[in-house]
Amino acid sequence: MNELQDTPPEAPGSPAGGTAPDADSPASDQPVKPVIRAAAAKRANASVIGMIIALVVSIGAFLPVVLMNPSPNGDGYRPNINVSAIAQNAAGVAGFTPVTPEIGDTFRSNYARWESGSGSGVATWQVGYLTPKESFIALVQTRQSNPTWLQQQTKSAPVTGTRNAGGRDWQLRDTGKGEKSMVLDYRGTTVVLTGPAQLEEFSVLAAAVVKSLDSNPAATVSPSATPAQ
């Protein structure tokens, strides 16, 4: 009589009589490499080539525009202000001929306007000048000057002396913080020059102002009459 022998069950998924693979074996460490079909790879390459071609075409179309519009040379924006033309338009309501200093191309005007003085009660002719040394001087002319208005225009700077320019003695006021003013009462109007520029540049502009004042008729309209805008 044969005896029945107990045999251990085989491990699930293992070949009969074999051993289970070691989880730490080199075969388990190999990465799985995806396989791209030739057609898919061809489509991907075509898309990349198409993008490159489109980029080259865009650059080719944009480059002539850039070359025809060179970048600024670093001097900044220079507005073309016709001070004389604006002054002629203002003369009809000002009651005097606004000054138009002739200072060549070294000083550049960045604004010129007539202000009716609705807030301050003092109507003014105003011109802004950029100086050769890249500073600034504001010119204000009026026939209605008063002490309060003058203090405002000169930023309450004290009188520190006089400075001759154009054969006239201008009153010099200095805040001590870079801002200064030169003031002249002449031929019926008051002219105030204010800004952080150097005094040498003030003198150049002041001399041109005096020359313009001498060439214009003196203001004869009563200061009490406020010109309309």
Side-chain angles (χ1 to χ4, degrees):
M1 181 175 180
N2 294 331
E3 294 182 359
L4 296 177
Q5 294 181 351
D6 294 332
T7 58
E10 296 179 356
S14 299
T19 58
D22 187 359
D24 296 330
S25 64
S28 63
D29 294 335
Q30 295 297 325
V32 178
K33 295 182 179 181
V35 177
I36 302 177
R37 294 182 179 180
K42 185 176 181 180
R43 288 195 298 270
N45 291 336
S47 299
V48 172
I49 293 173
M51 292 175 61
I52 294 175
I53 293 175
L55 180 60
V56 171
V57 171
S58 299
I59 294 175
F62 183 70
L63 187 59
V65 178
V66 175
L67 295 178
M68 288 187 296
N69 295 275
S71 60
N73 58 9
D75 292 337
Y77 174 62
R78 298 186 178 188
N80 184 20
I81 304 298
N82 191 333
V83 177
S84 297
I86 300 173
Q88 285 182 336
N89 293 333
V93 296
F96 61 88
T97 303
V99 293
T100 54
E102 295 183 4
I103 43 184
D105 296 331
T106 56
F107 285 70
R108 307 189 308 272
S109 175
N110 60 353
Y111 67 84
R113 61 194 176 217
W114 172 256
E115 291 289 343
S116 63
S118 57
S120 64
V122 178
T124 57
W125 166 243
Q126 302 178 4
V127 188
Y129 288 99
L130 303 176
T131 72
K133 295 184 179 180
E134 300 301 325
S135 192
F136 178 76
I137 301 175
L139 180 155
V140 181
Q141 181 185 18
T142 185
R143 61 186 179 85
Q144 300 172 316
S145 178
N146 61 66
T148 300
W149 176 84
L150 192 57
Q151 283 289 101
Q152 294 173 345
Q153 293 300 309
T154 60
K155 298 178 173 57
S156 301
V159 178
T160 57
T162 59
R163 188 174 181 87
N164 188 280
R168 297 290 167 180
D169 287 331
W170 293 66
Q171 184 186 80
L172 180 62
R173 300 189 178 206
D174 197 336
T175 62
K177 300 179 180 179
E179 290 278 340
K180 58 189 73 68
S181 299
M182 289 177 61
V183 183
L184 178 67
D185 293 315
Y186 185 49
R187 295 177 64 80
T189 66
T190 299
V191 178
V192 182
L193 305 179
T194 303
Q198 297 181 5
L199 282 175
E200 290 75 12
E201 294 181 313
F202 268 86
S203 295
V204 172
L205 181 57
V209 168
V210 173
K211 186 176 180 179
S212 180
L213 286 168
D214 286 335
S215 66
N216 295 335
T220 57
V221 179
S222 171
S224 61
T226 303
Q229 178 74 28

